[in-house]
C-alpha cells in the first residue's frame, strides 16, 4: 500500500494493466498500516484482505474502526472481503462477525507443492466484479472529470465554506488524504487557510505545483480531500468557475488524475 504513496503513477498503471488483462485487484493486509485505509478509495480493489491481526484482536477499537470502514466500502463498491489467518472453526465465526465474505488460512488447507493443489479459476468465483480497465487512469483534467461526474457549479465563497466544513470534519481523523494542484500561488490563495488546516491533520498530502517548465493543468486548480467518512473535490477553471462534488467515486477519480501526475520529486517526505 505504501507504493501508492511513494510511486502512485506506477502503481495505478499496474492496476490498470491488470484490469485490461481481465484480472481483479486484491489489496493485502488492510488495517496493518494507516495508509491502507487512507488510499483504499483510490485503489478501489475488487477484493479487500483484512490483516490477520484484526482476526486475532476482534474486540480492539482499532479492529472495529478498520472493519467499519472496510464493510462500508464493500457495500458501496461491491468489493469482497477476505479474512486472513483463519486456522480454526472459531476463526471462521470471528471472520464472519468482522464482515468477511471469504476466508483464507490453514483451516482450509496447508501449504503444498503445486501438483497437489486444487485450483479454482477465479473467473468463475461468485460475486467478483467485472474488470474496469479505465478506472485507475481516468482521462481528462480534474475539472473535466468533475464535470463528467456531475459536479455542481458553486461560487468561490461557497467553496471556501465547503472547505471549512471539511476541515472541521477531518479534525482528529487519522486517515485523511489531501491532494491538489495549481498553476500560480494566487490560484490557491482563496483556499489557503483551509488547505493548511487540512494538510496539518492529513496522513498524506501532496500538491502539484508549476516546476518552472510546465504547469500541471493550465488554467485549473483543484483540491481533493478524502477520508474514510468524507469526500470532497473542488475544481476551478479560470474564467469558468468552481465545481464541487462529494460523490466518493468521482472524488476518487479526480484524485487518481492527480496521483498519476505525481513524480518522485514532487512527493512529500513520508
Amino acid at each position: 500500500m505504501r507504493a501508492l504513496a511513494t510511486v502512485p503513477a506506477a502503481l495505478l498503471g499496474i492496476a490498470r494493466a491488470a484490469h485490461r488483462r481481465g484480472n481483479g485487484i486484491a489489496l493485502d493486509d488492510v488495517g496493518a498500516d494507516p495508509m491502507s485505509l487512507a488510499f483504499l478509495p483510490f485503489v478501489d480493489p475488487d477484493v479487500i484482505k483484512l490483516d490477520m491481526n484484526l482476526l486475532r484482536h476482534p474486540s480492539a477499537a482499532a479492529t472495529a474502526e478498520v472493519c467499519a470502514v472496510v464493510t462500508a466500502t464493500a457495500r458501496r463498491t461491491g468489493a469482497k472481503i477476505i479474512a486472513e489467518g483463519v486456522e480454526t472453526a472459531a476463526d471462521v465465526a470471528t471472520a464472519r462477525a468482522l464482515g468477511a465474505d471469504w476466508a483464507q488460512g490453514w483451516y482450509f488447507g496447508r501449504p503444498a507443492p503445486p501438483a497437489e493443489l486444487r485450483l479454482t479459476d477465479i473467473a468463475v468465483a461468485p460475486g467478483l466484479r467485472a474488470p474496469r480497465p479505465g478506472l485507475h487512469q481516468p482521462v481528462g483534467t480534474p475539472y473535466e472529470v468533475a464535470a463528467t461526474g456531475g459536479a455542481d457549479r458553486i461560487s468561490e465563497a461557497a467553496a471556501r465554506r465547503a472547505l471549512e466544513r471539511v476541515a472541521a470534519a477531518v479534525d482528529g481523523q487519522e486517515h485523511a488524504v489531501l491532494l491538489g494542484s495549481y498553476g500560480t500561488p494566487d490560484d490557491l490563495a482563496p483556499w489557503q487557510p483551509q488547505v493548511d488546516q487540512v494538510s496539518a491533520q492529513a496522513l498524506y498530502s501532496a500538491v502539484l505545483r508549476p516546476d518552472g517548465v510546465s504547469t500541471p493543468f493550465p488554467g485549473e486548480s483543484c483540491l481533493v480531500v478524502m477520508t474514510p467518512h468524507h469526500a470532497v473535490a473542488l475544481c476551478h477553471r479560470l474564467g469558468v468557475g468552481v465545481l464541487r462534488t462529494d460523490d466518493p467515486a468521482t472524488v476518487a477519480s479526480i484524485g487518481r488524475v492527480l496521483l498519476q501526475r505525481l513524480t518522485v520529486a514532487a512527493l512529500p517526505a513520508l
Side-chain angles (χ1 to χ4, degrees):
M1 175 51 68
R2 294 188 71 83
L4 186 56
T6 54
V7 284
L11 189 61
L12 290 174
I14 291 170
R16 181 190 183 195
H19 273 178
R20 291 181 70 177
R21 288 172 171 79
N23 299 313
I25 303 295
L27 191 59
D28 201 22
D29 297 333
V30 172
D33 186 312
M35 285 288 182
S36 62
L37 288 188
F39 280 97
L40 188 60
F42 302 109
V43 179
D44 194 4
D46 305 290
V47 176
I48 304 171
K49 300 182 69 177
L50 298 175
D51 184 71
M52 69 172 62
N53 283 326
L54 303 177
L55 191 70
R56 301 290 176 261
H57 303 92
S59 300
T63 298
E65 179 184 5
V66 170
C67 291
V69 171
V70 168
T71 53
T73 299
R75 283 196 299 268
R76 187 179 71 251
T77 66
K80 293 298 181 181
I81 303 171
I82 292 181
E84 300 176 355
V86 174
E87 299 180 358
T88 67
D91 286 344
V92 173
T94 301
R96 289 194 177 112
L98 295 180
D101 302 294
W102 301 333
Q104 168 190 324
W106 285 5
Y107 180 72
F108 304 101
R110 297 276 175 163
E116 298 178 16
L117 295 177
R118 292 182 300 170
L119 301 179
T120 300
D121 186 351
I122 195 170
V124 300
L128 282 182
R129 299 180 298 187
R132 298 154 294 161
L135 176 74
H136 293 97
Q137 289 189 319
V139 176
T141 68
Y143 190 94
E144 291 165 350
V145 173
T148 302
D152 298 320
R153 181 76 58 83
I154 62 172
S155 67
E156 293 199 16
R160 286 194 296 273
R161 290 194 296 270
L163 269 179
E164 288 170 357
R165 290 193 294 271
V166 170
V170 303
D171 186 22
Q173 293 199 24
E174 298 180 356
H175 306 101
V177 173
L178 169 70
L179 302 170
S181 68
Y182 65 86
T184 71
D186 290 342
D187 295 338
L188 201 61
W191 302 341
Q192 194 65 59
Q194 292 77 32
V195 171
D196 290 344
Q197 184 177 352
V198 175
S199 182
Q201 302 173 72
L203 177 67
Y204 177 94
S205 62
V207 178
L208 291 163
R209 300 170 173 84
D211 59 10
V213 177
S214 62
T215 300
F217 302 99
E220 290 190 19
S221 55
C222 175
L223 284 173
V224 166
V225 179
M226 180 73 81
T227 80
H229 307 291
H230 299 88
V232 66
L234 299 170
C235 300
H236 177 265
R237 176 170 279 181
L238 190 63
V240 180
V242 181
L243 293 179
R244 175 206 170 166
T245 178
D246 54 8
D247 172 63
T250 304
V251 174
S253 188
I254 296 168
R256 293 184 196 107
V257 173
L258 298 172
L259 286 167
Q260 67 186 7
R261 292 288 295 271
L262 288 171
T263 63
V264 173
L267 291 169
L270 296 177

